[in-house]
Amino acid sequence: MHTPPSDDLATLDTADSVPLPAEPGGPRRAASPWRGRVMAAGLILAALNLRPAVTSLGPLLEEVRADLGMSGTVAGVLTSVPAACFALFGFTAPRLARRWGPVAIVCAGLAAIAAGLLLRPMAGGTVAFLAASALALAGIAVSNVLMPVIVKRWFPDRVGSMTGLYSMGLSLGTAASAAVTVPMTDALGGSWRTGLGVWALLAAVALVAWLFLARGGTGGSGADGAETTRTEATRTEATGSEAGRTDADAPATAESVATAETAAPADGPAIRITRSPLAWAMAVFFGFQATAAYISMGWMPQIFRDAGVSASTSGLLLAVMMAMGVPLAFVLPRIAARLRHQGVLVVILGVFGLTGYAGLWLAPAGGAWAWALLLGIANCAFPLALTMIGMRTRTHAGVVRLSAFAQSVGYLLSIPGPLLVGVLYQHSGGWGQPIALMAGFMVPQIIAGVLAGRDRTLEDER
């Protein structure tokens, strides 16, 4: 299986994408308080748009399938598309940003999201619907990769707080789209096409804001940006391997991983990543937690609806699952950073997941809110995985390679999961076998997570 190369992540050389210390003469900062507020608003608007294309579909999947004549297997393909797009398009982002600059690429990503969400309701068949969804998801993929880099560039001395703001926007967009899509659809006439298409308006608003930011010169590209990068990269190398990092006591979170991915791998000899047991354990852990997340976003509302829960309540249940990521995304990394072995957290999250799936199999409607809460906690393995990537390396080069390998291979591994759920659902006529498969996926996730959480680093395996 071919995996996207990590070299592009290591050689991204735009002024917006290198890790920069917060010092005079360093990175650009907001020129005035209002400018800083506008930039923060731009971050929130972008974050709000990075999940509705996925989570707005789940509550209306039954109507979409009926209208387009979509089988359970094809619906499974549809729910696998996000992981496929994140794996394939996400790792083109560094190469595009090296040529045009991250801000321009995020603008293009938001344009793709808006266009895809606008075109999707116009689809007259399954192929056109899949194509429009892929367009929106491609925009999400490239923006996903570059947004933490922009946070680091715009707010070098407030990376933690601004990333927290961005993460809250991401979780809010995820939960809100799941919760309000069905009520909004009913209020607008009851057509799924209107209910899905209205999310293009939010993307358009974000696009206008980012075009303003790009026009205002918050991002560099081209020759000037590359020259700035080379100068600052030289300064960073001169200060040692800790240069450009955020607070040393802070846990490694999404922004630290993304920032490290853009650092040149100059710390020590090359790491044979494909021969590393740690790297494979991390990739498998990342892949199975992503599998659980995309199965939940794609299929969970349908499970509840088939159990007799209303469409609007099913959307709210999915919103509860997604909303659990808001507080736990802050708490888990801090706890993990204080532990030498993160395996205990992996096991705890796995137990929550297995309990949730057992309840879903036994009484999907009777205990729906409890199962949604338990599975929402289990799905918070994502911030834990990002934290572990940062903790299992000692050098910039190690973070670059481990993050690129774990995420690219992990997303590729997650593609079949939602598809298999759809196939089992169609051929078994119920949810017993699919839920058993979901619970079965938790076993390798726990095993791989415990192996990846051991107190060692990638550099030790040279």
Side-chain angles (χ1 to χ4, degrees):
M1 179 179 292
H2 174 70
T3 60
S6 63
D7 292 345
D8 287 335
L9 292 171
T11 58
L12 174 58
D13 59 346
T14 64
D16 292 307
S17 61
V18 291
L20 300 174
E23 61 184 32
R28 300 184 189 91
R29 293 182 173 84
S32 61
W34 75 265
R35 184 70 175 173
R37 288 191 287 268
V38 170
M39 292 160 72
L43 291 176
I44 296 173
L45 282 172
L48 288 172
N49 282 279
L50 297 184
R51 289 300 180 269
V54 180
T55 52
S56 64
L57 178 59
L60 295 175
L61 184 58
E62 183 174 312
E63 288 77 7
V64 174
R65 289 180 57 199
D67 195 9
L68 299 181
M70 192 182 298
S71 68
T73 300
V74 175
V77 172
L78 178 61
T79 54
S80 294
V81 168
C85 287
F86 286 4
L88 298 177
F89 292 110
F91 288 91
T92 67
R95 181 176 299 178
L96 294 172
R98 184 173 58 196
R99 175 65 179 87
W100 303 103
V103 173
I105 299 306
V106 171
C107 286
L110 290 170
I113 295 170
L117 292 178
L118 182 64
L119 293 173
R120 188 162 67 171
M122 302 178 186
T126 300
V127 174
F129 189 89
L130 288 171
S133 297
L135 175 60
L137 291 166
I140 292 172
V142 296
S143 301
N144 256 344
V145 172
L146 296 177
M147 283 299 297
V149 175
I150 291 175
V151 169
K152 177 71 173 178
R153 177 64 185 177
W154 286 356
F155 303 97
D157 50 357
R158 287 189 289 160
V159 170
S161 61
M162 297 311 297
T163 299
L165 187 66
Y166 161 72
S167 299
M168 288 181 62
L170 188 67
S171 296
L172 180 61
T174 303
S177 57
V180 308
T181 294
V182 172
M184 187 166 54
T185 300
D186 294 339
L188 295 174
S191 171
W192 67 263
R193 297 179 184 273
T194 305
L196 293 183
V198 72
W199 293 104
L201 296 176
L202 182 62
V205 171
L207 175 59
V208 170
W210 275 77
L211 289 173
F212 172 79
L213 290 171
R215 184 181 179 87
T218 59
S221 60
D224 292 340
E227 182 60 35
T228 302
T229 298
R230 283 190 288 270
T231 301
E232 291 175 328
T234 300
R235 184 181 67 226
T236 300
E237 290 178 6
T239 61
S241 63
E242 294 300 312
R245 293 188 181 180
T246 57
D247 187 352
D249 295 327
T253 51
E255 87 279 354
S256 62
V257 172
T259 302
E261 285 177 350
T262 63
D267 300 304
I271 300 167
R272 310 260 328 195
I273 194 74
T274 57
R275 296 184 181 181
S276 165
L278 169 60
W280 280 106
M282 189 67 70
V284 172
F285 176 58
F286 193 94
F288 277 102
Q289 67 80 27
T291 299
Y294 289 117
I295 289 175
S296 296
M297 287 187 280
W299 285 113
M300 204 57 65
Q302 189 68 53
I303 294 175
F304 288 123
R305 292 186 67 174
D306 287 351
V309 179
S310 69
S312 59
T313 302
S314 296
L316 286 173
L317 288 166
L318 178 60
V320 167
M321 293 178 61
M322 299 298 105
M324 292 305 300
V326 177
L328 290 181
F330 288 99
V331 174
L332 275 177
R334 296 185 180 277
I335 297 175
R338 290 173 171 82
L339 299 175
R340 295 180 64 85
H341 193 318
Q342 290 73 43
V344 62
L345 295 178
V346 172
V347 172
I348 291 172
L349 293 179
V351 170
F352 274 108
L354 290 172
T355 306
Y357 287 128
L360 199 61
W361 186 76
L362 292 171
W369 293 101
W371 316 143
L373 186 66
L374 290 172
L375 293 173
I377 295 173
N379 280 343
C380 290
F382 175 69
L384 178 60
L386 291 181
T387 303
M388 289 165 60
I389 288 174
M391 296 183 68
R392 296 284 81 84
T393 56
R394 291 197 306 267
T395 65
H396 288 297
V399 178
V400 168
R401 293 179 180 272
L402 183 58
S403 179
F405 182 82
Q407 293 196 49
S408 60
V409 174
Y411 277 128
L412 289 172
L413 289 174
S414 71
I415 293 172
L419 173 60
L420 290 174
V421 168
V423 171
L424 285 176
Y425 174 53
Q426 178 177 344
H427 289 282
S428 68
W431 284 106
Q433 293 182 19
I435 291 174
L437 178 66
M438 297 177 207
F441 284 152
M442 293 299 302
V443 176
Q445 176 180 321
I446 294 172
I447 295 173
V450 169
L451 293 175
R454 291 184 297 175
D455 186 20
R456 70 195 192 285
T457 64
L458 182 69
E459 290 78 8
D460 295 335
E461 297 181 345
R462 281 186 176 132

